[in-house]
């Protein structure tokens, strides 16, 4: 059964001219969801869909009454200050709204004049975290990241024996999740210098980013129930970019025995746009596990997963220092990789999360974990790129970095592109490190 439908047709164009430009993330085949208002206004935040350089204001569109049928009720659920109500409706509902929006935004649509009046320029908008996130879990699904970080923390025992059997994760903190543009003070905490007998207290000296994808849960599951592997993706509303800021010196001292705590919970930044799994359908790819590795337990295994359970999403990390910004210099790319290298898939994360009866709720957020690829250049954190801070990176302007400095802005980008399909992009997520609070 093909997952492709008329909304994926690469020949489709939009009457929003910017949507048709080469390199555009927000094509008519994408149609990602977010929450916005006009910047600096007192307007209510409400749902929007990106098209080219514009946003379709879902509240304004609902008020016109031009979207009828099944999609009308779905559209109404997307007009509030968070997308939880829309997320709770489930995959067939999201698909009905996507089809209606695709038809309304196509070149030649009879609704063009009405919908044109519902557009807000992205450049004139400000964004909010798109859902009320009740719970946030961060996974650890790149074996390349787990192995290289493991080598730094435990040279004799880099990959723990459970890694190839269990999609490892920890419960994170929802209160410090911010949308792109988030700026936060360098965290303070305890660190234990090598050879010392008692810890220091002060600002982290080894602040880092992590290049991840976020997974927004749509329809949840009742407490005590499990989500089967072939049903897992129908519970996923879509994916965003996620930067899991990490204080490595705090992490090294606190992480045993219960895992990350204050090293991770001071800030997590996500992109404003959520790209639906339906939009990503052309970029599905087979999921494989090396023959010499243990194959998944039956609850994490399926033929559909093997055939098309992975997504080929190109992801990149960029840096702009304060000095670069003052000189008007563009950001520089630190690394690039693909989500297809992930050891565990979106569906395996969702299924594993609920296999003990844990209930997921609409708007819950899962992080994929740092998506480092197989080569050193594909590393998704400074910890890996600088080999634990031992090798400094030289930037184009001559500055060097081992870890992040005050004033640094980290930008993550993601996009899917291939011959025969329209580009589907994630836009970007930017966040800035401010000096520690005295
Ligand atoms: Ca992480």
């Amino acid at each position: 059964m093909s997952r492709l439908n008329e909304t994926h047709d690469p020949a489709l164009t939009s009457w929003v001219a910017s949507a048709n430009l080469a390199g555009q993330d927000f094509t008519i085949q994408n149609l990602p969801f977010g929450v916005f208002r006009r910047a600096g206004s007192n307007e209510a935040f409400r749902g929007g869909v990106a098209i080219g350089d514009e946003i379709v204001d879902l509240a304004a569109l609902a008020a016109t009454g031009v979207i009828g049928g099944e999609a009308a009720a779905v559209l109404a659920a997307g007009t509030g200050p968070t997308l939880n109500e829309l997320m709770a409706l489930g995959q067939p509902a999201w698909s009905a709204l996507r089809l209606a929006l695709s038809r309304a935004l196509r070149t030649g649509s009879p609704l063009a004049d009405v919908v044109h009046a519902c557009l807000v320029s992205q450049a004139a908008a400000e964004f909010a975290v798109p859902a009320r996130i009740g719970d946030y879990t961060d996974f650890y699904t790149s074996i390349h990241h787990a192995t290289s970080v493991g080598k730094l923390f435990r040279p004799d025992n880099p990959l723990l024996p459970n890694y190839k059997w269990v999609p490892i994760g920890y419960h994170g903190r929802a209160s410090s999740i911010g949308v792109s543009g988030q700026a936060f003070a360098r965290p303070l905490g305890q660190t234990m210098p090598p050879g010392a007998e008692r810890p220091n207290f002060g600002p982290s000296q080894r602040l880092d980013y992590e290049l991840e994808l976020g997974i927004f849960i749509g329809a949840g599951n009742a407490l005590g129930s499990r989500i089967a592997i072939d049903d897992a993706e129908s519970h996923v509303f879509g994916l965003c970019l996620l930067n899991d800021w990490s204080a490595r010196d705090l992490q090294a001292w606190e992480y045993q025995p219960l895992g990350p705590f204050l090293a991770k919970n001071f800030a997590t930044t996500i992109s404003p746009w959520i790209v639906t799994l339906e939009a990503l359908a052309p970029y599905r790819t087979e999921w494989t596990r090396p023959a010499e590795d243990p194959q998944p337990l039956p609850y994490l295994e399926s033929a559909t997963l093997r055939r098309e359970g992975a997504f080929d999403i190109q992801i990149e990390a960029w840096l702009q220092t304060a000095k670069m910004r003052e000189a008007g210099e563009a950001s520089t790319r630190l690394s690039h990789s693909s989500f297809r290298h992930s050891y565990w898939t979106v569906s395996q994360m969702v299924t594993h999360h609920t296999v003990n009866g844990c209930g997921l709720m609409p708007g819950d957020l899962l992080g994929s974990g740092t998506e480092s690829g197989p080569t050193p250049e594909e590393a998704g954190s400074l910890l890996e790129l600088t080999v634990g801070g031992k090798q400094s990176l030289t930037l184009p302007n001559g500055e060097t970095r081992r870890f992040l400095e005050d004033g640094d802005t980290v930008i993550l980008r993601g996009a899917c592109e291939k011959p025969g399909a329209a580009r589907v992009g994630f836009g970007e997520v930017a966040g800035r490190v401010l000096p520690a609070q005295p």
Side-chain angles (χ1 to χ4, degrees), residues 297-317:
L297 291 180
Y299 77 96
L300 294 173
E301 177 71 273
S302 96
T304 309
L305 164 75
R306 292 278 176 174
R307 191 172 65 245
E308 55 183 11
F311 293 92
D312 187 9
I313 303 169
Q314 307 300 316
I315 45 178
E316 303 179 329

Side-chain angles (χ1 to χ4, degrees), residues 136 138-140 145-146 149 153 170 207-214 241-248 251 260 263-264 267-269 315-317 335 367-372 379-384 404 410-412 429:
Y136 162 51
D138 198 18
F139 281 90
Y140 199 49
H145 174 72
V149 170
F153 283 86
Y170 67 94
L207 189 59
D208 201 354
Y209 64 89
E210 290 194 330
L211 173 57
E212 304 196 17
L213 290 173
L241 299 165
L242 185 151
N243 185 345
D244 176 25
W245 304 95
S246 300
R248 302 301 182 191
Q251 185 179 354
K264 301 277 193 173
T268 305
T269 315
I315 45 178
E316 303 179 329
S335 69
S368 66
T370 309
E371 290 301 332
S372 302
S381 67
L382 283 174
L383 183 70
E384 294 157 89
L404 297 172
V410 176
I411 302 137
L412 310 183
V429 54

Side-chain angles (χ1 to χ4, degrees), residues 33 91 125 131 140 162 187 191 255 263 291 308 349 378 389 397 418 422:
F33 289 85
Q91 210 283 322
Y140 199 49
N162 56 5
T191 57
Y255 88 103
E308 55 183 11
M349 284 184 251
E378 292 172 275
N397 68 353
K418 68 174 185 183

Side-chain angles (χ1 to χ4, degrees), residues 161-186:
N162 56 5
Y163 189 86
K164 292 182 176 179
W165 295 99
V166 179
I168 298 292
Y170 67 94
H171 284 126
R173 184 81 189 162
S175 68
S176 50
I177 298 172
V179 76
S180 185
Q182 184 176 27
F184 61 91
R186 177 179 296 274

Side-chain angles (χ1 to χ4, degrees), residues 48-132:
V49 168
I51 178 76
D53 298 339
E54 308 284 331
I55 303 166
V56 181
D57 180 338
L58 296 185
L61 182 61
T64 67
V66 297
I67 303 294
E70 187 192 347
V74 189
L75 174 61
T79 59
T82 67
L83 298 177
N84 296 68
E85 197 186 328
L86 174 65
M87 291 168 161
L89 292 181
Q91 210 283 322
W94 313 326
S95 195
L97 180 56
R98 171 181 166 85
L99 178 61
L101 289 169
S102 170
R103 288 177 176 168
L105 289 164
R106 283 176 204 172
T107 303
S109 165
L111 301 181
D113 286 347
V114 180
V115 180
H116 186 267
C118 303
L119 296 182
V120 175
S121 163
Q122 286 176 32
E126 60 186 355
F127 297 89
V129 173
R132 186 177 62 256

Side-chain angles (χ1 to χ4, degrees), residues 195-217:
E197 292 197 346
R198 49 180 286 132
N200 289 335
F201 178 81
S204 169
Q205 301 301 308
R206 292 163 71 90
L207 189 59
D208 201 354
Y209 64 89
E210 290 194 330
L211 173 57
E212 304 196 17
L213 290 173
I215 300 152
F216 270 103
I217 299 298

